[in-house]
Amino acid sequence: MTADTTTELHAWHKRQATLINHFASLEYLQGLKPLVDELILWTDAVLSQRAPFDAIGLADLRWSPTSTSAHFSTYAFPALLDFQQSIQRQIAKRSVDIYSSTAAYQCARMLSEYGHSMLWATREQEDAFQEKFARIYSYADKIDGILRRPPICDDFVYWVIWNKYKHFFPQLPRFRIRTDIGGESGSPPPRTGLYVPQTDPYGALQFAWTGGYGELGPVRTLNDLGRKALRAVGRDGLWDDQEGLFAFALKHQDQGIQTDDLFSSISHEPRRHLAPPVVAIHTFDEHPCKWYFVELIEGEFEEHDGTYTQASSSVNASVHPPSTLAGQPCPRSGWWFTPAKNNSRTRFDEGDVMPDMPGNHYGSVIWQWDSHQDSPRC
Protein backbone atom coordinates (compact mmCIF):
# COMPACT_ATOMS: atom_id res chain seq x y z
CA MET A 1 0.00 0.00 0.00
CA THR A 2 1.41 3.39 -0.95
CA ALA A 3 1.85 5.80 1.94
CA ASP A 4 -0.39 8.85 1.83
CA THR A 5 1.61 11.68 3.37
CA THR A 6 -1.04 14.40 3.16
CA THR A 7 -1.74 16.27 6.37
CA GLU A 8 -5.12 17.51 5.14
CA LEU A 9 -8.17 15.29 5.44
CA HIS A 10 -9.62 14.10 2.16
CA ALA A 11 -13.03 15.53 1.32
CA TRP A 12 -14.84 12.30 2.26
CA HIS A 13 -12.88 12.07 5.51
CA LYS A 14 -14.02 15.62 6.33
CA ARG A 15 -17.63 14.45 5.95
CA GLN A 16 -16.96 11.42 8.13
CA ALA A 17 -15.27 13.58 10.76
CA THR A 18 -18.22 15.98 10.75
CA LEU A 19 -20.74 13.18 11.22
CA ILE A 20 -18.74 11.43 13.94
CA ASN A 21 -18.05 14.66 15.80
CA HIS A 22 -21.78 15.42 15.81
CA PHE A 23 -23.27 12.04 16.68
CA ALA A 24 -20.63 11.14 19.30
CA SER A 25 -20.92 14.49 21.07
CA LEU A 26 -22.24 14.96 24.58
CA GLU A 27 -24.75 17.48 23.25
CA TYR A 28 -26.25 14.90 20.92
CA LEU A 29 -26.47 12.31 23.72
CA GLN A 30 -28.14 14.88 25.96
CA GLY A 31 -30.72 15.43 23.23
CA LEU A 32 -31.83 11.79 23.56
CA LYS A 33 -32.96 12.16 27.16
CA PRO A 34 -35.90 14.57 26.64
CA LEU A 35 -37.25 12.31 23.90
CA VAL A 36 -37.33 9.35 26.30
CA ASP A 37 -38.62 11.52 29.16
CA GLU A 38 -41.54 12.68 27.02
CA LEU A 39 -42.43 9.14 25.95
CA ILE A 40 -42.41 7.94 29.56
CA LEU A 41 -44.72 10.74 30.69
CA TRP A 42 -47.04 10.20 27.73
CA THR A 43 -47.15 6.41 28.22
CA ASP A 44 -47.75 6.72 31.95
CA ALA A 45 -50.74 8.98 31.30
CA VAL A 46 -52.19 6.59 28.69
CA LEU A 47 -51.74 3.59 31.02
CA SER A 48 -53.60 5.40 33.78
CA GLN A 49 -56.38 6.26 31.37
CA ARG A 50 -56.74 2.74 29.95
CA ALA A 51 -56.30 0.68 33.16
CA PRO A 52 -60.07 0.54 33.90
CA PHE A 53 -60.60 -1.30 30.60
CA ASP A 54 -58.59 -4.32 31.73
CA ALA A 55 -61.52 -5.84 33.62
CA ILE A 56 -63.83 -5.36 30.64
CA GLY A 57 -61.33 -6.83 28.23
CA LEU A 58 -60.68 -9.89 30.38
CA ALA A 59 -64.35 -10.52 31.09
CA ASP A 60 -66.14 -9.62 27.88
CA LEU A 61 -63.49 -9.58 25.12
CA ARG A 62 -61.57 -12.63 26.31
CA TRP A 63 -58.24 -10.85 26.48
CA SER A 64 -55.29 -12.86 27.69
CA PRO A 65 -53.45 -11.39 30.71
CA THR A 66 -50.62 -10.32 28.37
CA SER A 67 -53.03 -8.01 26.52
CA THR A 68 -53.80 -5.84 29.56
CA SER A 69 -52.36 -2.49 30.56
CA ALA A 70 -51.35 -4.09 33.87
CA HIS A 71 -49.08 -6.52 32.02
CA PHE A 72 -47.56 -3.67 30.01
CA SER A 73 -47.03 -1.62 33.20
CA THR A 74 -45.36 -4.54 34.97
CA TYR A 75 -43.08 -5.89 32.23
CA ALA A 76 -42.76 -3.43 29.33
CA PHE A 77 -42.90 0.01 30.95
CA PRO A 78 -39.85 -0.70 33.19
CA ALA A 79 -37.75 -1.09 30.03
CA LEU A 80 -38.40 2.59 29.28
CA LEU A 81 -37.40 3.53 32.82
CA ASP A 82 -34.19 1.50 32.53
CA PHE A 83 -33.45 3.20 29.21
CA GLN A 84 -33.96 6.60 30.84
CA GLN A 85 -31.60 5.77 33.71
CA SER A 86 -28.94 4.38 31.36
CA ILE A 87 -28.88 7.68 29.46
CA GLN A 88 -28.33 9.56 32.70
CA ARG A 89 -25.42 7.26 33.57
CA GLN A 90 -23.90 7.65 30.13
CA ILE A 91 -24.06 11.43 30.34
CA ALA A 92 -22.28 11.33 33.71
CA LYS A 93 -19.56 8.96 32.45
CA ARG A 94 -18.63 11.25 29.56
CA SER A 95 -16.80 13.43 32.12
CA VAL A 96 -14.24 10.63 32.58
CA ASP A 97 -14.04 9.74 28.88
CA ILE A 98 -16.20 6.62 29.10
CA TYR A 99 -18.38 6.09 26.05
CA SER A 100 -20.76 3.28 25.16
CA SER A 101 -23.70 2.38 22.97
CA THR A 102 -27.15 3.32 24.22
CA ALA A 103 -29.66 0.84 25.60
CA ALA A 104 -32.05 1.47 22.69
CA TYR A 105 -31.69 -2.04 21.28
CA GLN A 106 -32.25 -3.72 24.65
CA CYS A 107 -35.28 -1.54 25.27
CA ALA A 108 -36.72 -2.38 21.85
CA ARG A 109 -36.33 -6.10 22.54
CA MET A 110 -38.08 -5.80 25.90
CA LEU A 111 -40.95 -3.86 24.35
CA SER A 112 -41.22 -6.41 21.56
CA GLU A 113 -41.32 -9.30 24.00
CA TYR A 114 -43.57 -7.87 26.69
CA GLY A 115 -45.42 -5.05 24.96
CA HIS A 116 -46.22 -6.53 21.55
CA SER A 117 -49.91 -6.74 22.41
CA MET A 118 -51.45 -3.31 23.03
CA LEU A 119 -55.17 -4.23 22.89
CA TRP A 120 -55.57 -2.13 26.03
CA ALA A 121 -54.81 1.02 24.00
CA THR A 122 -56.77 2.61 21.17
CA ARG A 123 -55.37 2.22 17.66
CA GLU A 124 -54.44 5.92 17.66
CA GLN A 125 -52.60 5.55 20.98
CA GLU A 126 -50.74 2.46 19.81
CA ASP A 127 -49.71 4.17 16.56
CA ALA A 128 -48.54 7.22 18.53
CA PHE A 129 -46.48 5.05 20.88
CA GLN A 130 -44.83 3.20 17.99
CA GLU A 131 -44.09 6.44 16.16
CA LYS A 132 -42.53 8.07 19.25
CA PHE A 133 -40.35 5.06 20.01
CA ALA A 134 -39.28 4.72 16.36
CA ARG A 135 -38.08 8.33 16.47
CA ILE A 136 -36.11 7.60 19.65
CA TYR A 137 -34.59 4.44 18.20
CA SER A 138 -33.53 6.23 15.02
CA TYR A 139 -31.95 9.01 17.08
CA ALA A 140 -30.06 6.58 19.33
CA ASP A 141 -29.00 4.42 16.40
CA LYS A 142 -26.63 7.18 15.20
CA ILE A 143 -24.78 7.05 18.54
CA ASP A 144 -24.68 3.27 18.52
CA GLY A 145 -23.32 3.09 14.98
CA ILE A 146 -20.42 5.41 15.81
CA LEU A 147 -19.53 3.87 19.18
CA ARG A 148 -20.08 0.19 18.40
CA ARG A 149 -17.13 -2.10 19.13
CA PRO A 150 -15.64 -3.38 16.97
CA PRO A 151 -16.40 -0.49 14.59
CA ILE A 152 -18.53 -1.40 11.58
CA CYS A 153 -18.92 1.86 9.64
CA ASP A 154 -17.18 2.00 6.26
CA ASP A 155 -17.02 4.50 3.41
CA PHE A 156 -20.37 3.37 2.00
CA VAL A 157 -22.13 3.63 5.37
CA TYR A 158 -20.84 7.17 5.85
CA TRP A 159 -21.90 8.06 2.31
CA VAL A 160 -25.44 6.93 3.17
CA ILE A 161 -25.46 8.85 6.46
CA TRP A 162 -24.02 11.98 4.84
CA ASN A 163 -26.67 12.06 2.12
CA LYS A 164 -29.40 11.67 4.73
CA TYR A 165 -28.15 14.27 7.21
CA LYS A 166 -26.01 16.72 5.24
CA HIS A 167 -28.68 19.38 5.65
CA PHE A 168 -27.66 19.48 9.33
CA PHE A 169 -24.31 20.91 8.29
CA PRO A 170 -24.44 24.11 6.19
CA GLN A 171 -20.70 24.32 6.86
CA LEU A 172 -18.07 21.76 7.82
CA PRO A 173 -16.08 22.20 11.01
CA ARG A 174 -12.36 22.36 10.31
CA PHE A 175 -10.06 19.57 11.48
CA ARG A 176 -6.33 18.98 11.41
CA ILE A 177 -4.36 15.75 11.44
CA ARG A 178 -1.97 15.48 14.38
CA THR A 179 0.85 13.33 13.06
CA ASP A 180 2.55 13.66 16.46
CA ILE A 181 -0.31 11.69 18.11
CA GLY A 182 -0.66 8.14 16.84
CA GLY A 183 -2.40 4.93 17.80
CA GLU A 184 -2.66 1.31 16.72
CA SER A 185 -5.55 -1.06 16.13
CA GLY A 186 -6.27 -3.17 19.20
CA SER A 187 -4.85 -0.62 21.64
CA PRO A 188 -6.46 2.20 23.63
CA PRO A 189 -5.98 5.58 21.97
CA PRO A 190 -3.65 8.19 23.48
CA ARG A 191 -6.52 10.71 23.41
CA THR A 192 -10.28 10.46 23.13
CA GLY A 193 -11.58 11.51 19.74
CA LEU A 194 -11.32 11.00 16.00
CA TYR A 195 -8.65 8.94 14.26
CA VAL A 196 -7.71 8.62 10.58
CA PRO A 197 -5.69 5.75 9.05
CA GLN A 198 -2.10 6.85 8.54
CA THR A 199 -1.65 5.36 5.05
CA ASP A 200 -5.09 4.45 3.70
CA PRO A 201 -7.13 7.20 2.01
CA TYR A 202 -10.18 4.90 1.73
CA GLY A 203 -10.17 3.61 5.29
CA ALA A 204 -13.05 4.96 7.38
CA LEU A 205 -12.39 7.24 10.33
CA GLN A 206 -13.02 5.92 13.84
CA PHE A 207 -13.93 7.37 17.21
CA ALA A 208 -11.96 5.92 20.14
CA TRP A 209 -11.82 6.78 23.83
CA THR A 210 -9.48 6.36 26.78
CA GLY A 211 -12.00 5.52 29.50
CA GLY A 212 -12.17 1.79 28.90
CA TYR A 213 -13.26 -0.49 26.02
CA GLY A 214 -12.68 2.31 23.52
CA GLU A 215 -9.68 0.82 21.74
CA LEU A 216 -9.02 1.50 18.09
CA GLY A 217 -10.38 -1.26 15.88
CA PRO A 218 -9.23 -2.59 12.53
CA VAL A 219 -9.66 -0.21 9.64
CA ARG A 220 -12.66 -0.80 7.37
CA THR A 221 -11.43 -0.15 3.83
CA LEU A 222 -11.78 -1.15 0.19
CA ASN A 223 -10.64 -4.65 -0.71
CA ASP A 224 -9.26 -5.63 -4.12
CA LEU A 225 -12.73 -5.74 -5.65
CA GLY A 226 -13.55 -2.39 -4.08
CA ARG A 227 -10.48 -0.82 -5.66
CA LYS A 228 -11.56 -2.23 -9.02
CA ALA A 229 -14.92 -0.52 -8.51
CA LEU A 230 -13.08 2.68 -7.63
CA ARG A 231 -11.08 2.52 -10.87
CA ALA A 232 -14.24 1.75 -12.84
CA VAL A 233 -16.38 4.68 -11.64
CA GLY A 234 -13.85 7.07 -10.04
CA ARG A 235 -13.89 8.53 -6.55
CA ASP A 236 -16.82 10.81 -7.37
CA GLY A 237 -18.82 7.86 -8.71
CA LEU A 238 -18.28 5.73 -5.64
CA TRP A 239 -21.14 5.57 -4.52
CA ASP A 240 -23.18 8.00 -6.61
CA ASP A 241 -22.81 6.46 -10.07
CA GLN A 242 -25.71 4.00 -10.09
CA GLU A 243 -25.35 3.24 -13.79
CA GLY A 244 -21.62 2.62 -13.54
CA LEU A 245 -21.94 0.43 -10.44
CA PHE A 246 -24.78 -1.50 -12.04
CA ALA A 247 -22.54 -2.30 -15.01
CA PHE A 248 -19.67 -3.15 -12.65
CA ALA A 249 -21.86 -5.59 -10.71
CA LEU A 250 -22.93 -7.42 -13.86
CA LYS A 251 -19.34 -7.62 -15.08
CA HIS A 252 -18.04 -9.06 -11.81
CA GLN A 253 -20.69 -11.65 -10.98
CA ASP A 254 -17.94 -14.26 -11.12
CA GLN A 255 -16.30 -12.60 -8.09
CA GLY A 256 -19.25 -13.17 -5.80
CA ILE A 257 -21.49 -10.17 -6.47
CA GLN A 258 -25.10 -11.34 -6.23
CA THR A 259 -27.12 -9.56 -8.93
CA ASP A 260 -30.56 -11.09 -8.35
CA ASP A 261 -31.67 -8.05 -6.33
CA LEU A 262 -30.74 -5.76 -9.22
CA PHE A 263 -33.74 -6.95 -11.23
CA SER A 264 -37.43 -6.98 -10.41
CA SER A 265 -38.60 -10.49 -9.56
CA ILE A 266 -41.80 -9.89 -11.55
CA SER A 267 -40.89 -7.81 -14.60
CA HIS A 268 -37.14 -8.40 -14.53
CA GLU A 269 -36.66 -4.67 -15.03
CA PRO A 270 -33.28 -3.39 -13.82
CA ARG A 271 -33.25 -1.68 -10.42
CA ARG A 272 -30.13 0.45 -10.78
CA HIS A 273 -30.72 2.34 -7.54
CA LEU A 274 -29.80 -0.86 -5.67
CA ALA A 275 -26.39 -1.16 -7.34
CA PRO A 276 -24.46 0.85 -4.70
CA PRO A 277 -25.50 -1.31 -1.69
CA VAL A 278 -25.18 -4.55 -3.69
CA VAL A 279 -21.62 -3.67 -4.70
CA ALA A 280 -20.75 -2.35 -1.23
CA ILE A 281 -21.57 -5.69 0.40
CA HIS A 282 -18.62 -7.28 -1.42
CA THR A 283 -16.07 -4.47 -1.57
CA PHE A 284 -14.85 -3.92 2.00
CA ASP A 285 -12.41 -5.68 4.25
CA GLU A 286 -10.70 -4.90 7.53
CA HIS A 287 -7.17 -5.19 8.87
CA PRO A 288 -5.08 -3.68 11.68
CA CYS A 289 -3.42 -0.36 10.98
CA LYS A 290 -1.81 2.67 12.54
CA TRP A 291 -3.81 5.84 13.13
CA TYR A 292 -3.35 9.59 13.53
CA PHE A 293 -5.40 11.72 15.88
CA VAL A 294 -7.73 14.22 14.17
CA GLU A 295 -8.18 17.45 16.11
CA LEU A 296 -11.17 19.77 15.85
CA ILE A 297 -10.23 23.40 15.22
CA GLU A 298 -12.66 25.31 17.41
CA GLY A 299 -14.58 28.10 15.73
CA GLU A 300 -13.33 27.45 12.19
CA PHE A 301 -15.52 26.24 9.34
CA GLU A 302 -15.38 25.71 5.59
CA GLU A 303 -17.92 25.58 2.81
CA HIS A 304 -18.97 22.41 0.98
CA ASP A 305 -20.93 21.62 -2.16
CA GLY A 306 -23.20 19.00 -0.58
CA THR A 307 -21.50 16.06 -2.25
CA TYR A 308 -19.58 13.37 -0.38
CA THR A 309 -16.36 13.86 -2.35
CA GLN A 310 -16.44 17.65 -2.95
CA ALA A 311 -16.92 17.32 -6.70
CA SER A 312 -17.06 21.09 -7.22
CA SER A 313 -13.59 22.62 -7.12
CA SER A 314 -14.98 26.17 -7.05
CA VAL A 315 -16.19 25.72 -3.48
CA ASN A 316 -12.62 25.35 -2.27
CA ALA A 317 -11.50 28.77 -3.47
CA SER A 318 -12.15 30.47 -0.12
CA VAL A 319 -11.10 27.51 2.02
CA HIS A 320 -7.82 27.54 3.88
CA PRO A 321 -4.99 25.86 1.96
CA PRO A 322 -3.98 22.42 3.26
CA SER A 323 -1.42 22.01 6.01
CA THR A 324 2.00 21.40 4.47
CA LEU A 325 4.92 19.26 5.59
CA ALA A 326 8.37 20.82 5.94
CA GLY A 327 10.32 20.47 2.71
CA GLN A 328 7.22 20.88 0.52
CA PRO A 329 6.44 24.02 -1.50
CA CYS A 330 4.11 26.60 0.03
CA PRO A 331 0.70 26.24 -1.68
CA ARG A 332 -0.43 29.86 -1.09
CA SER A 333 1.19 33.16 -0.17
CA GLY A 334 0.37 34.27 3.35
CA TRP A 335 1.06 33.82 7.04
CA TRP A 336 1.74 30.31 8.37
CA PHE A 337 2.65 28.74 11.71
CA THR A 338 3.74 25.34 13.03
CA PRO A 339 2.93 23.74 16.42
CA ALA A 340 6.53 22.48 16.44
CA LYS A 341 7.78 25.89 17.61
CA ASN A 342 6.37 28.70 19.70
CA ASN A 343 5.99 32.07 17.96
CA SER A 344 6.62 30.46 14.58
CA ARG A 345 4.21 32.66 12.62
CA THR A 346 5.96 33.45 9.33
CA ARG A 347 4.98 34.79 5.95
CA PHE A 348 5.81 32.63 2.93
CA ASP A 349 5.26 33.21 -0.76
CA GLU A 350 3.68 30.56 -2.94
CA GLY A 351 6.38 28.12 -4.02
CA ASP A 352 8.70 28.78 -1.08
CA VAL A 353 10.05 25.61 0.52
CA MET A 354 8.54 25.25 3.99
CA PRO A 355 11.45 25.02 6.46
CA ASP A 356 12.17 22.08 8.75
CA MET A 357 13.17 22.32 12.42
CA PRO A 358 15.49 19.41 13.21
CA GLY A 359 15.63 18.31 16.81
CA ASN A 360 12.26 19.73 17.86
CA HIS A 361 10.29 17.77 20.46
CA TYR A 362 6.95 17.97 18.62
CA GLY A 363 7.56 15.51 15.82
CA SER A 364 6.90 16.15 12.14
CA VAL A 365 7.03 19.84 11.25
CA ILE A 366 3.68 20.72 9.71
CA TRP A 367 2.98 24.28 8.62
CA GLN A 368 -0.62 25.43 8.99
CA TRP A 369 -2.40 28.38 7.46
CA ASP A 370 -3.04 31.15 9.98
CA SER A 371 -6.72 32.11 10.04
CA HIS A 372 -5.63 35.69 10.82
CA GLN A 373 -3.74 37.04 7.81
CA ASP A 374 -3.06 40.55 9.12
CA SER A 375 0.60 41.60 9.23
CA PRO A 376 2.02 42.01 12.76
CA ARG A 377 2.08 45.53 14.14
CA CYS A 378 5.11 47.11 15.75
Side-chain angles (χ1 to χ4, degrees):
M1 185 178 298
T2 303
D4 182 11
T5 58
T6 180
T7 57
E8 176 82 0
L9 288 174
H10 295 286
W12 51 94
H13 278 162
K14 291 179 181 180
R15 274 68 171 167
Q16 294 176 19
T18 298
L19 294 169
I20 296 171
N21 184 67
H22 176 72
F23 292 123
S25 69
L26 175 61
E27 291 75 17
Y28 188 81
L29 175 62
Q30 290 172 329
L32 177 60
K33 186 175 180 300
L35 298 178
V36 178
D37 291 346
E38 191 275 333
L39 178 58
I40 287 174
L41 291 174
W42 182 89
T43 305
D44 188 48
V46 172
L47 285 168
S48 298
Q49 177 190 24
R50 303 300 297 179
F53 291 89
D54 283 357
I56 299 174
L58 290 169
D60 297 338
L61 301 178
R62 297 184 180 180
W63 285 357
S64 68
T66 59
S67 299
T68 63
S69 64
H71 183 271
F72 190 97
S73 297
T74 303
Y75 298 102
F77 189 68
L80 293 174
L81 299 177
D82 290 343
F83 189 12
Q84 181 187 54
Q85 292 170 6
S86 73
I87 297 170
Q88 294 171 335
R89 290 193 297 269
Q90 286 183 308
I91 291 173
K93 289 180 178 179
R94 289 289 181 92
S95 64
V96 289
D97 278 350
I98 295 178
Y99 290 69
S100 63
S101 300
T102 71
Y105 177 73
Q106 292 86 341
C107 183
R109 287 199 61 178
M110 291 287 288
L111 292 176
S112 175
E113 183 173 355
Y114 297 110
H116 63 278
S117 178
M118 295 182 67
L119 290 177
W120 53 271
T122 66
R123 174 53 62 89
E124 291 76 16
Q125 289 168 338
E126 181 177 358
D127 289 346
F129 178 87
Q130 300 296 348
E131 181 180 345
K132 290 175 184 291
F133 186 76
R135 180 187 175 196
I136 290 171
Y137 193 90
S138 177
Y139 188 104
D141 187 56
K142 307 306 176 297
I143 302 173
D144 297 343
I146 298 299
L147 301 182
R148 181 171 174 176
R149 285 297 178 269
I152 59 171
C153 292
D154 53 38
D155 187 72
F156 174 75
V157 171
Y158 282 119
W159 173 80
V160 172
I161 299 174
W162 170 256
N163 283 300
K164 186 174 182 179
Y165 294 101
K166 60 186 177 183
H167 61 281
F168 283 8
F169 312 105
Q171 292 180 306
L172 300 177
R174 285 187 57 80
F175 300 90
R176 56 175 161 238
I177 300 175
R178 292 287 302 270
T179 58
D180 59 315
I181 303 176
E184 295 186 15
S185 297
S187 299
R191 286 177 57 175
T192 294
L194 295 167
Y195 285 83
V196 62
Q198 290 189 12
T199 60
D200 191 340
Y202 307 113
L205 267 63
Q206 288 187 14
F207 186 88
W209 56 94
T210 61
Y213 304 104
E215 65 274 4
L216 287 158
V219 63
R220 294 281 300 167
T221 189
L222 295 176
N223 58 21
D224 290 341
L225 186 62
R227 290 176 181 270
K228 287 182 181 179
L230 175 68
R231 291 192 292 271
V233 300
R235 176 66 267 204
D236 293 343
L238 200 68
W239 305 91
D240 283 303
D241 186 356
Q242 296 180 5
E243 189 70 41
L245 290 171
F246 183 84
F248 179 85
L250 296 182
K251 183 178 180 181
H252 292 84
Q253 296 181 68
D254 61 332
Q255 297 190 36
I257 297 182
Q258 302 295 320
T259 59
D260 292 346
D261 290 339
L262 296 180
F263 297 90
S264 169
S265 59
I266 299 175
S267 63
H268 205 62
E269 290 293 318
R271 299 193 291 187
R272 291 176 174 81
H273 66 284
L274 294 180
V278 167
V279 172
I281 292 173
H282 303 278
T283 49
F284 288 97
D285 201 352
E286 61 181 35
H287 58 79
C289 79
K290 293 186 177 182
W291 303 82
Y292 282 138
F293 181 66
V294 178
E295 185 175 55
L296 174 69
I297 304 176
E298 294 289 349
E300 293 194 20
F301 300 88
E302 62 181 74
E303 304 299 323
H304 67 84
D305 64 358
T307 68
Y308 184 64
T309 58
Q310 195 69 40
S312 172
S313 59
S314 62
V315 177
N316 286 321
S318 62
V319 176
H320 294 177
S323 300
T324 305
L325 283 168
Q328 298 298 313
C330 176
R332 185 187 301 178
S333 298
W335 292 91
W336 297 73
F337 72 96
T338 174
K341 180 183 177 182
N342 293 330
N343 302 317
S344 61
R345 188 172 185 266
T346 307
R347 178 177 172 80
F348 298 103
D349 290 327
E350 185 174 343
D352 288 349
V353 176
M354 309 300 272
D356 198 0
M357 296 177 181
N360 76 86
H361 298 292
Y362 183 83
S364 300
V365 176
I366 303 169
W367 290 91
Q368 301 173 10
W369 180 259
D370 195 329
S371 58
H372 303 287
Q373 286 296 303
D374 296 334
S375 299
R377 298 179 180 180
C378 298

